[in-house]
Amino acid sequence: MAWIFKDSVLLAAALATCLPFFSMAIILLFTRKNPRLSCTISISAVTVSLGCALYLLRTLWDARVPLEYRVSWLAADNLVVPYGYLLDPLSLLMLTIVAVISFLVQVYSVGYMAGDPGYSRYYAFQSLFAWAMMSMVVAPSMLQLFIFWELVGLASYFLIGFYYEKWSASQAGKKAFVMTRLGDVGFFLGLIILFLGYGNLGITDINEAARANAISPYLASIAAFLIFCGVVGKSAQFPLITWLPDAMEGPTPVSALLHSATMVAAGVYMFSRIFPFFAVSPDAMSVALAVGTVTMLLASTMAMATYDLKQVWAYSTVSQLGFMVMALGAGGYFAGVFHLTTHAGFKALLFLCSGIFIHEYHTNDMRIIGRRGGRKRGIPMVCMTVGALALSGVFPMAGFFSKEAILGVLAGHPNKIWLVAGLLGALMTAYYSFRLIFFLLFPKGGVEPPSHGPNSHGHEPHEEEHRGHIFWTMAWPVMILAGVTLVLGFCQSSLESFLMGAGTHGAVPAAHDAAGEHGAHGAGHYVLLAAAVGLALAGIAWAWVEFGRKKASREGFLARLPRTRELFGRRWYMDDFFRKFLDRVVYAGFTSLFTRNDRRVIDGAIDGICAGTVGGGRLFSFLQSGMLQYNLLLMITAVGIVVLLFLL
């Protein structure tokens, strides 16, 4: 193992990915009864991981080819399963994003989770999540990626159901786990088909073969369709949308962690990771484009009909993931990855700001927070407004640059229906985002005193002398993310040259580069830019008319459309459909059939064998009476019969 220490890049990659695992193990085995020590160990580990990620990004920024390390992990006959690291622009960028968000969330959690009885357990799960996610993004093979993909799902299950004493939290954790597994079944089948048909699951090998047309288009289409099921499950795309809003049952820092660029963005990352392979199949790309569009529009309508602070941002996450999938499906590799990057910052910002309000006012209801004086909390209110502007795509926030890049890709697509859908999504995003902001800024019915009951995560509020310290522990990560949101968009050119330059080693097909260039430049660029900004401002103005101005009813247009409001509020009845499908098809159909088969066939066969054994024992028991003279008589009779047979 001494050779690891001779290569600083390999050492940094190993430390970045492995330290959170050791942190989790130490906390679970040794320090669970010492919350402060557990917190220190976890944050120290993720801090070193962040430093290593930044070192790798800086060191390999100008690398001209991907750097790959592999060792044989499992070997059987001709099958060799490697373990290692793939360090290229995409993995380095994603590793840095995950490390930054994980670090800020864990620091923020020092204040938010203070006094919680599960404090050590919480940090152990945070470390598990960081280890799984970081190891996933640097995986050199799809099999290693899939293994850590599943570990990310396990960690998410633990964090979503963290308050397992609550029925709703335990149910939300199970729902997230089961619905994402549905997509993972297709993902795994796709990997099996790809391995059997091509014989290799190495990421660079798959991408190289795709660019060289060495993979059959028929095989690529089938495998791509199935692998895309993993994107649908993990990134909550249609029809598996509804688990993500329910995942808000976990602590708010968990929501920030899952929704920014980590768990739910894993599907988009995987799509980007083997983008050349997906690009081989135009049918798979078209399906991805359609699914992303439907997801984006449906989630935007759902966000209009809820008053839960966290659920609004949860629906917006689903919607923005739909935007990313749209960009990738339309051929915009950089646009999709860039929006993933900017979204990481401003979505974590929005959730962490929400956590400050929830921690202070002990409710998720935006109307109640507004009436209790939410606008007086200057730092979270200003920072949340910055995040909402970024989400809406308003200049100069980071979301403006990445969303405009996506619209440019859609404008370059031959079918303009996708561009129209993207512009409509931009309008709705601005509307529901500032609907929430105006509820906080301009409460209806005056201001009521804040509640001083137990807070939203189950423990009593802290003493007044500790409140200032707790607030600033949560405020610093929020202010850092707000600063990132303000400046990240101006790094677009640098990121584009990093992701699309020589360091990608030809990761993106030229045809798909051209699609993005056509939409981003030319005579139509300024018209598109004006339309995008105009629709964002129109959405904000629309929200102002209905929720901001003094004479506004603060009911919104949905109040005049009760059936539409019910449709949006009940998530287009998707949960009702799943419930009926489970009851009538799974439980009344398959489960009932399997139960009858178990009871009548399997249990019946076993019971029949047992009854035959008992009956046979009783029959043969007549041959043994227990009296010696009868036994001798029986033996003599049997011998006599045998003798007679020989004599005759």
Side-chain angles (χ1 to χ4, degrees), residues 143 146 183-194 226-227 230:
L143 182 59
F146 180 78
D184 293 351
V185 171
F187 183 10
F188 189 60
L189 289 175
L191 293 182
I192 292 175
I193 290 174
L194 180 60
L226 290 170
I227 292 173

Side-chain angles (χ1 to χ4, degrees), residues 142-361:
M142 290 300 293
L143 182 59
Q144 181 179 332
L145 185 147
F146 180 78
I147 291 170
F148 286 103
W149 173 285
E150 292 299 310
L151 286 171
V152 168
L154 177 65
S156 302
Y157 168 74
F158 289 148
L159 289 168
I160 294 168
F162 180 76
Y163 301 120
Y164 57 86
E165 303 92 343
K166 288 176 58 180
W167 169 256
S168 58
S170 63
Q171 290 297 104
K174 288 189 287 187
K175 183 177 182 180
F177 191 79
V178 171
M179 292 189 77
T180 53
R181 294 292 79 68
L182 291 176
D184 293 351
V185 171
F187 183 10
F188 189 60
L189 289 175
L191 293 182
I192 292 175
I193 290 174
L194 180 60
F195 179 76
L196 294 177
Y198 174 62
N200 195 331
L201 291 179
I203 290 173
T204 55
D205 298 324
I206 292 172
N207 289 336
E208 289 286 350
R211 288 194 302 275
N213 296 319
I215 299 178
S216 163
Y218 181 72
L219 170 67
S221 294
I222 295 176
F225 279 126
L226 290 170
I227 292 173
F228 184 71
C229 292
V231 180
V232 171
K234 191 73 79 179
S235 291
Q237 298 297 286
F238 179 82
L240 303 180
I241 294 176
T242 59
W243 70 265
L244 191 53
D246 291 339
M248 299 300 94
E249 290 291 339
T252 302
V254 170
S255 304
L257 185 68
L258 300 185
H259 284 252
S260 53
T262 48
M263 190 264 194
V264 297
V268 176
Y269 171 77
M270 188 264 285
F271 194 170
S272 308
R273 181 73 283 179
I274 54 172
F275 181 79
F277 169 73
F278 277 102
V280 170
S281 173
D283 292 336
M285 297 288 276
S286 297
V287 168
L289 178 57
V291 168
T293 303
V294 172
T295 302
M296 180 270 295
L297 294 175
L298 290 182
S300 296
T301 62
M302 296 173 192
M304 297 177 179
T306 181
Y307 294 100
D308 187 298
L309 195 65
K310 289 166 64 176
Q311 280 201 353
V312 171
W313 303 137
Y315 287 127
S316 79
T317 297
V318 178
S319 178
Q320 299 309 301
L321 291 169
F323 263 116
M324 298 173 204
V325 174
M326 287 177 70
L328 293 170
Y333 172 81
F334 172 72
V337 175
F338 185 41
H339 195 54
L340 186 154
T341 303
T342 61
H343 179 262
F346 64 73
K347 186 50 59 68
L349 171 64
L350 290 169
F351 271 107
L352 295 183
C353 288
S354 300
I356 296 177
F357 288 121
I358 293 169
H359 194 274
E360 177 68 21
Y361 300 109

Side-chain angles (χ1 to χ4, degrees), residues 338 342 396-399 401-402 484-493:
F338 185 41
T342 61
M397 309 303 168
F401 296 91
S402 58
V484 170
T485 301
L486 285 168
V487 303
L488 186 58
F490 297 99
C491 301
Q492 179 176 357
S493 297

